[in-house]
Amino acid sequence: MILWEQLGINELSILMMLIVVFTVFGLLSRRLPRYITLFSLLWGFASAMFFDFTIGGGLFDFYQVNDSPRYELFDLLYYILFAPISYFFIYFYERLEINKKTFVWYIIGWSTLGVGANWLYTQLEIIHFHSGYILPYSFVVFLIVQTITGLYYELIKSRMLTLVNER
């Protein structure tokens, strides 16, 4: 892994976005139980890396992150950016009291935000699509990730509720 090939708009944008999302995270982080906070941070980071290592340049090669096909420090920082965003997904899931009737709309809303973020990332030269991959394909990826996140969170909540009721 190299630090970076050249410090450009993509690296500076990642740094600014990290400052913003971690500032907001710092303001909100005490509102959910610690185990949910840790779960959401880990899930956001892991899912970003999973998709990058599968469709981004691993099994398939549909996009490149940053300037270089080699891994840079800023690739890691890009993945870290997804950790607090995953927390925001769960935080607003609770604040908006998402239920079976609103679940689909919540997922669609977050998937739309994800596509908007991907568009911004392409404008800031953080992501470079190639091999026939186009922005609308990202909507399906976000639908999958957000649905799994929401369902897994519901599973964790129900298990914790069962544990609390057994005591």
Side-chain angles (χ1 to χ4, degrees):
M1 181 167 80
I2 60 174
L3 291 178
W4 59 79
E5 282 192 5
Q6 142 185 359
L7 192 62
I9 188 169
N10 54 338
E11 289 89 3
L12 295 173
S13 299
I14 289 171
L15 288 174
M16 288 188 300
M17 285 186 268
L18 282 168
I19 291 168
V20 170
V21 296
F22 275 101
T23 299
V24 175
F25 170 75
L27 297 172
L28 301 177
S29 64
R30 291 180 180 84
R31 306 217 179 196
L32 294 176
R34 182 171 288 159
Y35 70 93
I36 295 296
T37 300
L38 292 174
F39 156 74
S40 64
L41 293 173
L42 181 61
W43 175 254
F45 178 74
S47 61
M49 285 190 70
F50 173 78
F51 279 99
D52 189 55
F53 285 106
T54 54
I55 66 172
L59 296 176
F60 306 99
D61 191 16
F62 291 130
Y63 63 87
Q64 175 182 309
V65 175
N66 289 316
D67 307 306
S68 172
R70 297 174 18 202
Y71 282 97
E72 302 176 345
L73 170 65
F74 281 91
D75 294 348
L76 178 64
L77 295 177
Y78 171 74
Y79 304 138
I80 291 170
L81 182 64
F82 287 88
I85 292 171
S86 178
Y87 176 84
F88 301 152
F89 176 89
I90 300 215
Y91 173 82
F92 287 110
Y93 190 96
E94 282 299 312
R95 292 287 290 190
L96 297 172
E97 299 176 2
I98 300 303
N99 56 44
K100 290 178 182 179
K101 292 180 180 179
T102 56
F103 184 80
V104 170
W105 295 111
Y106 190 71
I107 299 301
I108 290 171
W110 272 89
S111 297
T112 303
L113 285 172
V115 171
N118 261 4
W119 176 82
L120 179 63
Y121 297 158
T122 61
Q123 300 304 304
L124 296 172
E125 301 176 10
I126 296 170
I127 296 176
H128 307 274
F129 296 136
H130 52 81
S131 302
Y133 191 87
I134 56 174
L135 186 62
Y137 295 165
S138 295
F139 188 74
V140 175
V141 173
F142 284 111
L143 281 176
I144 292 167
V145 172
Q146 305 302 2
T147 301
I148 291 170
T149 303
L151 293 175
Y152 190 49
Y153 178 61
E154 282 294 333
L155 177 68
I156 291 171
K157 273 187 7 182
S158 69
R159 295 266 170 106
M160 290 309 294
L161 189 59
T162 302
L163 285 174
V164 168
N165 288 336
E166 289 177 357
R167 290 182 179 191

